[in-house]
Amino acid sequence: EVQLVQSGVEVKKPGESLTISCKASGYNFTSYWITWVRQMPGKGLEWMGRLDPRDSYTKYSPSFQGHVTISADKSISTAYLQWSSLKASDTAIYYCARDFKSFDYWGQGTLVVVSS
Amino acid sequence: ETVLTQSPGTLSLSPGERATLSCRASQSVSSSYLTWYQQKPGQAPRVLIYGASRRATGIPDRFSGSGSGTEFTLIISRLEPEDFAVYYCQQYGNSVFTFGPGTRVDIK
């Protein structure tokens, strides 16, 4: 059974750094890209970027380029989404998904709250 | 970047009725890369239709997708209580994905 299990709720202050994770199981991790999607409170879905686990090649949405870093450790079938300095506007649910031109399996989402 | 527009923003219907959701692209989209998702409150989205018209595994046949170029449609032939949700279209082109703003289907 394909599963993507994300790390838990994070409550952070502006300026802090953060890394959230997405652990894949039930399939060959290197056979599919991993994508990250943001959903701000009460809003729609926004594609952030994607990573090819074979070589960690990444492609970012222009809206998120330079604001986040996507990485992976294929030895443990885990992808990461990282911020070096959070802002209040980063408050959202972040989803990872298995990516093959459509997103067929999704993680449960990680709620990130950034508040002073 | 290809912008997707969905209409209507909200569709108020009764169970058993037919729902027609529209997704319009600012430039031509490959049908291979047009996808529809359903999202219920508190849940992750799930894929309904990929390749514009192919139902994903386990999706009931009351859901159908069609269209090409810049105009795509999702039809729910007879709404079941569990179909009241938000629906997003998505496209992939020039190495980026974009989502539409969503159509909310709620109970009339």
Side-chain angles (χ1 to χ4, degrees):
Chain A
E1 178 194 10
V2 173
Q3 284 193 309
L4 297 172
V5 178
Q6 297 185 229
S7 49
V9 176
E10 299 279 359
V11 181
K12 292 288 191 179
K13 290 182 166 49
E16 292 186 332
S17 63
L18 174 65
T19 300
I20 62 175
S21 66
C22 169
K23 182 168 177 61
S25 62
Y27 73 99
N28 185 345
F29 183 63
T30 57
S31 295
Y32 296 83
W33 293 62
I34 289 284
T35 226
W36 287 92
V37 173
R38 182 175 79 174
Q39 188 165 40
M40 298 178 75
K43 302 299 184 183
L45 305 173
E46 301 174 270
W47 179 70
M48 302 176 71
R50 63 194 307 229
L51 173 142
D52 182 347
R54 293 174 299 177
D55 57 7
S56 289
Y57 172 80
T58 53
K59 177 68 179 179
Y60 294 92
S61 161
S63 300
F64 291 92
Q65 179 85 48
H67 296 287
V68 295
T69 301
I70 296 171
S71 62
D73 183 344
K74 63 184 178 182
S75 70
I76 55 172
S77 301
T78 300
Y80 303 97
L81 180 64
Q82 180 181 0
W83 294 260
S84 59
S85 180
L86 287 160
K87 304 174 184 177
S89 57
D90 292 318
T91 294
I93 297 173
Y94 294 87
Y95 294 101
C96 64
R98 193 175 80 163
D99 170 356
F100 189 66
K101 302 301 191 291
S102 67
F103 308 151
D104 58 352
Y105 288 91
W106 294 66
Q108 82 278 19
T110 295
L111 173 63
V112 174
V113 178
V114 184
S115 175
S116 54
Chain B
E1 177 179 302
T2 301
V3 176
L4 299 179
T5 303
Q6 292 186 242
S7 61
T10 302
L11 200 49
S12 296
L13 295 168
S14 300
E17 290 193 295
R18 177 186 179 95
T20 302
L21 287 67
S22 173
C23 176
R24 181 171 294 175
S26 61
Q27 57 189 291
S28 186
V29 171
S30 168
S31 294
S32 297
Y33 302 139
L34 193 287
T35 304
W36 290 92
Y37 299 89
Q38 176 194 65
Q39 187 179 32
K40 297 179 182 179
Q43 296 184 17
R46 71 162 175 164
V47 60
L48 297 175
I49 301 287
Y50 66 96
S53 61
R54 301 181 179 191
R55 272 188 301 277
T57 302
I59 302 303
D61 61 6
R62 63 180 181 274
F63 291 93
S64 63
S66 64
S68 64
T70 61
E71 300 278 348
F72 297 89
T73 302
L74 174 70
I75 290 175
I76 311 170
S77 58
R78 291 181 317 280
L79 282 163
E80 297 287 342
E82 62 267 27
D83 299 336
F84 292 93
V86 180
Y87 294 84
Y88 297 94
C89 59
Q90 175 215 53
Q91 70 84 36
Y92 175 76
N94 294 323
S95 300
V96 298
F97 292 91
T98 53
F99 287 96
T103 290
R104 179 179 304 276
V105 179
D106 62 20
I107 299 176
K108 188 174 181 181

